[in-house]
Amino acid sequence: MQKKFVPVMITPFNLKAKIDLDMVEQLIDFYLAAGVKGFFANCLSSEMYSISEDERLELTRHVVRYVNGRVPVVATGSFGLTIKDKALFTQKIYDTGVNSVIMITGHFANIDEPDNILLQRFEELFSLTGNIPLGLYECPAPYKRVITPEILKTLLATNRLIYHKDTSCNVEQVQAKLAVTAGSRLEFYDAHTPNAVASMQMGAAGMSSISGNFYPEILVWLCNHVNDESRQEDVRWIQSELQRVDPLIHIAYPLSAKYFLQLRGIPVRTISRAHALELTPEQKQTLQQIHRDFERWCGRLQVQPAVTAPLQSH
């Protein structure tokens, strides 16, 4: 089975801090040119907590329409105060045409509530959402609720889950969850780039990490070669390189990604609703060095950096 890289999409904004849908299209072209095998729209990288319900729907609808079936699209749907509210928004997101609607685990129980409460609320949501294909996302906000392999097994038995984005950042946890999902239709994606090789070699479907908003071609190369016996030296080398820079790209994210894409010639503005501050000169220097590293990686791995056509004037 070929491994897949699925980017968690950033949201470009115009000078009035409105969603720039033309730039969304250019980013989709860029990701596809890099070889991605899917999209996660309306996620934390998309600044989903900083955009309105209407904007979440408009953005997701636009992504689905522009991707036009070339690869699958998933999007977060578990917004709303009550489970009924979440079920209603799940239906609205599904109606945009996505392949699966993703549930944020931290939306179903407070930080101090036990797993049996979490399960009850998931069961209620399942009962209110027909046969909509669902997924799980251990999103860091509102707080990171990492689910146990036992909970995953219980939820998997409902036959509603086809997607899981893991943020446990723990290889043993990943291994235990992969054992539970083996043979099911659920696709397991690790969000933690330093885990990439271990997760995929243990059976994960692929990766879905923020690093794909900086150098998706490198993650695609890793997905394509992780089990290639003839390239294991390169696999180990690029994994160590990715691990080294990973903490640095998380600083001031998603602004850091938008600035990095500018370095790559993609005219996405460094405007963010989630991160109000400008990048410091030091942060910019760090990202410039990582950009030079990226060019070096491409040279060693013989990866052609993706390019997109310039935006047409409307």
Side-chain angles (χ1 to χ4, degrees):
M1 285 285 288
Q2 190 182 30
K3 305 300 181 181
K4 306 175 205 175
F5 186 74
V6 177
V8 278
M9 299 180 74
I10 57 170
T11 299
F13 295 104
N14 64 21
L15 291 171
K16 294 181 178 177
K18 300 281 188 190
I19 295 174
D20 185 342
L21 293 174
D22 288 337
M23 194 65 228
V24 169
E25 294 181 7
Q26 187 165 356
L27 282 173
I28 289 170
D29 289 339
F30 164 70
Y31 290 123
L32 288 171
V36 307
K37 296 290 191 288
F39 289 103
F40 192 156
N42 190 42
C43 56
L44 195 58
S45 291
S46 315
E47 308 185 41
M48 64 182 178
Y49 289 113
S50 304
I51 60 178
S52 68
E53 178 170 318
D54 285 346
E55 286 174 318
R56 291 169 190 150
L57 290 167
E58 178 189 28
L59 177 62
T60 305
R61 197 177 294 116
H62 196 82
V63 170
V64 170
R65 190 182 301 132
Y66 190 74
V67 170
N68 194 27
R70 285 176 282 181
V71 294
V73 179
V74 303
T76 307
S78 56
F79 285 97
L81 290 175
T82 67
I83 298 298
K84 284 183 179 171
D85 292 338
K86 295 183 202 307
L88 189 62
F89 191 69
T90 293
Q91 184 66 58
K92 287 179 180 178
I93 281 282
Y94 190 58
D95 288 345
T96 66
V98 295
N99 297 77
S100 177
V101 184
I102 309 302
M103 304 290 109
I104 291 174
T105 50
H107 283 175
F108 288 83
N110 294 330
I111 194 165
D112 56 350
E113 288 183 316
D115 281 346
N116 64 317
I117 299 291
L118 182 84
L119 281 175
Q120 284 172 18
R121 291 180 184 149
F122 267 120
E123 285 165 8
E124 185 183 348
L125 180 108
F126 290 175
S127 72
L128 294 171
T129 50
N131 293 315
I132 293 174
L134 301 175
L136 303 176
Y137 173 19
E138 296 168 340
C139 184
Y143 74 98
K144 189 195 283 194
R145 181 100 181 194
V146 175
I147 61 169
T148 64
E150 293 73 28
I151 293 293
L152 183 56
K153 187 176 184 179
T154 302
L155 293 173
L156 200 56
T158 64
N159 205 33
R160 292 292 300 281
L161 299 182
I162 66 168
Y163 198 98
H164 175 72
K165 179 168 153 66
D166 197 89
T167 66
S168 67
C169 306
N170 180 297
V171 173
E172 287 76 24
Q173 274 264 350
V174 168
Q175 188 170 21
K177 289 180 187 173
L178 284 169
V180 164
T181 62
S184 74
R185 62 180 183 144
L186 182 138
E187 294 192 351
F188 186 105
Y189 293 89
D190 203 324
H192 189 49
T193 299
N195 277 5
V197 171
S199 295
M200 289 192 284
Q201 289 183 343
M202 290 189 297
M207 290 296 298
S208 185
S209 53
I210 75 162
S211 47
N213 291 316
F214 296 78
Y215 26 79
E217 307 93 328
I218 300 298
L219 277 297
V220 168
W221 184 94
L222 191 55
C223 286
N224 290 344
H225 293 92
V226 69
N227 290 320
D228 182 346
E229 291 297 330
S230 67
R231 300 303 294 270
Q232 286 308 295
E233 187 181 332
D234 283 335
V235 164
R236 285 189 294 273
W237 172 77
I238 194 61
Q239 175 70 93
S240 68
E241 286 287 291
L242 291 170
Q243 194 161 346
R244 176 177 62 80
V245 302
D246 202 59
L248 302 172
I249 63 172
H250 279 75
I251 298 167
Y253 182 79
L255 264 193
S256 55
K258 294 178 180 184
Y259 178 74
F260 196 90
L261 291 173
Q262 282 186 359
L263 295 176
R264 298 199 53 185
I266 298 168
V268 58
R269 292 183 176 88
T270 49
I271 296 172
S272 165
R273 294 190 196 170
H275 189 92
L277 301 173
E278 282 289 313
L279 293 175
T280 66
E282 294 77 18
Q283 287 166 343
K284 288 181 178 180
Q285 284 175 0
T286 298
L287 291 166
Q288 288 161 16
Q289 178 56 54
I290 296 171
H291 183 255
R292 290 190 288 272
D293 290 338
F294 161 68
E295 292 177 327
R296 180 169 54 85
W297 302 341
C298 288
R300 170 159 170 175
L301 301 175
Q302 297 179 301
V303 167
Q304 190 66 39
V307 291
T308 64
L311 278 174
Q312 302 298 309
S313 55
H314 289 266

